[in-house]
Amino acid sequence: MPPDSPSPDSSESSDSVVPLDPSDASSPESSASASRLERLRRVAFEAVLVAGGVVLFLVMLYEMHTPPPENGFLSPALVGLAGVVLLWPLRGHKAVRALLLSGGLLLLLWTLDKVSRVLVPFAAVYLLAYLLNPLVERLRERYQVPRWLPSLVVTSLVVGVFVLFILILAPNIANQAQALSDRVLGTVQTLRAWLEASTVLDALEGAGLLQKQEVIAQLQALIKEQAGRLPSAAENLVASLGSFLGVVTLLALVPVILFYTLKDYPTVQSGLVDLFPTAGGRRDYLVEAGSIVGRYFRGQLLISIIATINVSVLLFLFDIPFWLLIGLLAGLLNLIPQIGALITMVVGALVALILGSWVKAVIVIAVLLGESLLEQSVLTPNILSYQVGLHPLLVLFSLLVFGTLLGVFGLLIAVPMTAILMTGYRAFREELTLDLSEYGAP
């Protein structure tokens, strides 16, 4: 075979060789570049969504703070919904979850504030049903009747007591409030003359600490302003509830709500308990806190009713002016431990001193002191036969904090709410850990 002739094997191998496309040589690099570009696009898209969510969060805060116009379309609820739709695909990120959680919490608080007029009657009725539930249970077990029957009886008793209060006590309270306002306004000039003749103010003015006439004028204006508010307090309360039709509708619905709440109280209570988080998979802390609050409120209400009756009757027998107002004030402020009795004593003594005499002021102080001793020695040990488990300093601190945040309502709920918080803290204490080592310097 001539040397120049190709062999069959070599010809086949030469035919099988296919030249490579230059673009194929760089295909791994192109794939990596495309993947990197896609990743950048995805990151940029997520960044735009997060930025839009932050903007909507700020807009929602602005809408919450600024009163909406009459024909405005935007509202915090709509802005919050748009934020949820925008951020929901990125809910796997911790920052996005934190933004959704904080926005949802603020939106929930804003909604509760807006519907507070609707929620307050339901909350008050539930509290009343909570206090009356043991009576319903006792009647049901004793007479072996369906639960709806004792619920109807208890609801009828509550409505009857309320109607009697409106027909009998409310006119007397209004008359005494009006008379007290007139008497206070009538004594303003006498008080001014007494202050002008006082040597104490002269001595303070001579020392350069105050201006006598300016102090007298400010004190006189303050007394007139406060006295003028007294007879209109009930009218302002009714006006705050809304229109007359709204008040009538509310009064008509309360008995119905109370009946159904008492009738289905176990189911309602179970549903509310399920809304709270668990500690170690259990909710025993809610049972303990509920027991504390229930006994506290039942006992305090019973003691307040006894205090109102005792103080009012004794002051009426001693012919003390405005005996009913002082008695009601003693019963209401009795719900505020440690501070309420002191406030009642000071206010009652001032009313008796200004509008009566020294003798009447001493009688008021003696009656209130006797009632306080009766509560501490007889009523509280026998009616509130338990320990809330709070130190006196913690009670005073809770009263100041809740009073500052919520006013008079905060003073009324300070002790039970503090007991609930402490009970919940004790339940979660073993579950809570704080490890700061992971936040150390790298």
Side-chain angles (χ1 to χ4, degrees):
M1 178 180 296
D4 295 336
S5 61
S7 63
D9 295 339
S10 62
S11 63
E12 291 179 1
S13 61
S14 62
D15 292 340
S16 62
V17 175
V18 180
L20 294 175
D21 191 357
S23 61
D24 291 343
S26 60
S27 58
E29 298 180 359
S30 300
S31 175
S33 176
S35 176
R36 190 180 305 109
L37 181 61
E38 181 67 22
R39 202 161 46 244
L40 290 176
R41 289 176 179 175
R42 185 170 64 252
V43 171
F45 178 71
E46 293 178 354
V48 170
L49 290 183
V50 172
V54 172
V55 171
L56 288 177
F57 181 81
L58 297 177
V59 172
M60 184 181 71
L61 292 180
Y62 176 79
E63 291 291 332
M64 290 179 178
H65 182 267
T66 305
E70 296 182 358
N71 298 324
F73 174 75
L74 285 182
S75 68
L78 290 178
V79 177
L81 179 61
V84 171
V85 173
L86 191 66
L87 295 177
W88 190 252
L90 305 178
R91 62 188 181 275
H93 296 276
K94 291 183 178 180
V96 174
R97 285 202 304 268
L99 188 62
L100 289 174
L101 182 61
S102 59
L105 179 61
L106 290 175
L107 189 59
L108 175 62
L109 295 177
W110 176 84
T111 304
L112 292 177
D113 178 68
K114 291 301 179 181
V115 300
S116 59
R117 290 187 178 182
V118 179
L119 293 179
V120 166
F122 283 88
V125 168
Y126 178 79
L127 178 60
L128 185 60
Y130 180 81
L131 299 176
L132 296 175
N133 181 61
L135 177 60
V136 175
E137 285 288 341
R138 187 173 301 176
L139 293 175
R140 184 186 65 83
E141 293 176 357
R142 180 173 182 178
Y143 296 103
Q144 298 297 318
V145 293
R147 186 178 175 87
W148 67 266
L149 185 55
S151 301
L152 181 61
V153 172
V154 172
T155 303
S156 303
L157 290 176
V158 171
V159 173
V161 171
F162 179 76
V163 171
L164 288 178
F165 175 81
I166 294 296
L167 296 179
I168 298 176
L169 292 180
N172 292 328
I173 295 174
N175 292 334
Q176 289 200 11
Q178 183 64 49
L180 178 60
S181 176
D182 296 339
R183 292 280 295 274
V184 171
L185 291 175
T187 57
V188 169
Q189 297 301 328
T190 305
L191 179 62
R192 181 183 181 89
W194 180 77
L195 290 174
E196 289 179 349
S198 175
T199 58
V200 177
L201 293 181
D202 292 333
L204 294 176
E205 185 178 20
L209 298 177
L210 53 82
Q211 296 293 329
K212 180 178 179 180
Q213 295 300 325
E214 183 179 352
V215 170
I216 293 175
Q218 291 180 357
L219 183 60
Q220 186 177 9
L222 178 63
I223 293 176
K224 286 184 177 180
E225 180 183 359
Q226 298 301 323
R229 291 179 178 179
L230 187 59
S232 60
E235 297 177 2
N236 294 335
L237 178 61
V238 175
S240 66
L241 295 176
S243 62
F244 176 76
L245 182 60
V247 174
V248 172
T249 304
L250 179 62
L251 292 178
L253 285 177
V254 165
V256 179
I257 299 174
L258 178 59
F259 168 72
Y260 282 107
T261 306
L262 284 173
K263 174 178 172 292
D264 300 324
Y265 182 79
T267 305
V268 175
Q269 185 185 38
S270 176
L272 290 177
V273 168
D274 290 340
L275 296 177
F276 288 85
T278 60
R282 304 170 63 183
R283 293 186 174 91
D284 294 345
Y285 73 98
L286 290 176
V287 178
E288 181 182 353
S291 176
I292 293 175
V293 173
R295 288 180 293 176
Y296 175 82
F297 272 123
R298 293 186 192 101
Q300 282 296 113
L301 285 176
L302 182 57
I303 293 176
S304 296
I305 293 173
I306 296 175
T308 301
I309 296 174
N310 290 342
V311 173
S312 300
V313 171
L314 289 175
L315 295 182
F316 174 76
L317 294 177
F318 284 105
D319 195 23
I320 302 298
F322 312 110
W323 53 271
L324 183 57
L325 291 181
I326 298 175
L328 290 174
L329 183 65
L332 179 62
L333 293 182
N334 190 68
L335 296 173
I336 305 174
Q338 303 183 17
I339 296 180
L342 181 61
I343 297 176
T344 306
M345 195 174 302
V346 172
V347 173
L350 286 176
V351 170
L353 178 61
I354 295 175
L355 306 178
S357 62
W358 285 98
V359 177
K360 294 186 181 298
V362 171
I363 292 175
V364 171
I365 294 177
V367 169
L368 293 175
L369 279 177
E371 176 62 30
S372 179
L373 292 175
L374 177 66
E375 292 176 10
Q376 298 298 326
S377 60
V378 178
L379 298 181
T380 300
N382 289 279
I383 296 178
L384 295 180
S385 56
Y386 71 98
Q387 295 294 329
V388 180
L390 301 178
H391 193 274
L393 290 178
L394 182 58
V395 172
L396 291 176
F397 178 76
S398 66
L399 289 172
L400 294 176
V401 171
F402 280 89
T404 302
L405 295 177
L406 302 175
V408 177
F409 180 71
L411 293 175
L412 296 177
I413 67 171
V415 174
M417 285 302 299
T418 304
I420 292 176
L421 293 176
M422 292 302 297
T423 305
Y425 168 73
R426 285 193 293 267
F428 282 89
R429 183 168 51 193
E430 296 181 359
E431 304 294 329
L432 295 174
T433 57
L434 183 61
D435 189 3
L436 299 179
S437 61
E438 57 181 290
Y439 299 100

